[in-house]
Amino acid sequence: MSEAGERIRRRVVVRGDVQGVFFRDSTRSEAARRGVAGWVTNRSDGAVEAAFEGSAADVEALVEFMRSGPRQADVRDVEVVEEEPEGLDGFSVR
């Protein structure tokens, strides 16, 4: 596969006032718009966690979206970890 078509994966944990502000649904919409596979979930510690798989450009665009989130969110910290793609298909809100 060429570099342009290379599939990458990133796991993202977002902290701040990020639950109860449509963060997961907004992330799902952005992922669908860009054709990125993965999932997003609320964690018990108040963070939002997501995994994205797709082209480098689309995944990095999703990571950038997570740095601010929807208008109502107050993102204070974003942790991004590079992982090996698992071959996910579709996007789910957990």
Side-chain angles (χ1 to χ4, degrees):
M1 188 175 269
S2 70
E3 266 188 42
E6 183 181 1
R7 187 175 180 95
I8 68 166
R9 177 182 170 105
R10 299 291 182 268
R11 184 178 301 256
V12 183
V13 177
V14 181
R15 294 177 180 85
D17 292 330
V18 294
Q19 291 188 9
V21 294
F22 300 100
F23 210 110
R24 291 178 302 163
D25 192 55
S26 297
T27 301
R28 181 197 50 75
S29 294
E30 283 293 312
R33 188 170 73 80
R34 296 187 172 277
V36 171
W39 51 265
V40 63
T41 190
N42 283 340
R43 293 187 358 174
S44 61
D45 65 359
V48 170
E49 182 173 3
F52 303 125
E53 288 189 18
S55 73
D58 289 327
V59 168
E60 293 303 332
L62 257 293
V63 170
E64 278 307 305
F65 168 78
M66 299 293 275
R67 294 186 189 285
S68 58
R71 183 178 39 211
Q72 306 91 324
D74 180 14
V75 175
R76 295 190 195 114
D77 182 60
V78 178
E79 176 185 340
V80 181
V81 177
E82 189 174 324
E83 297 181 338
E84 286 297 315
E86 296 178 359
L88 298 177
D89 186 30
F91 197 88
S92 65
V93 175
R94 298 180 173 173

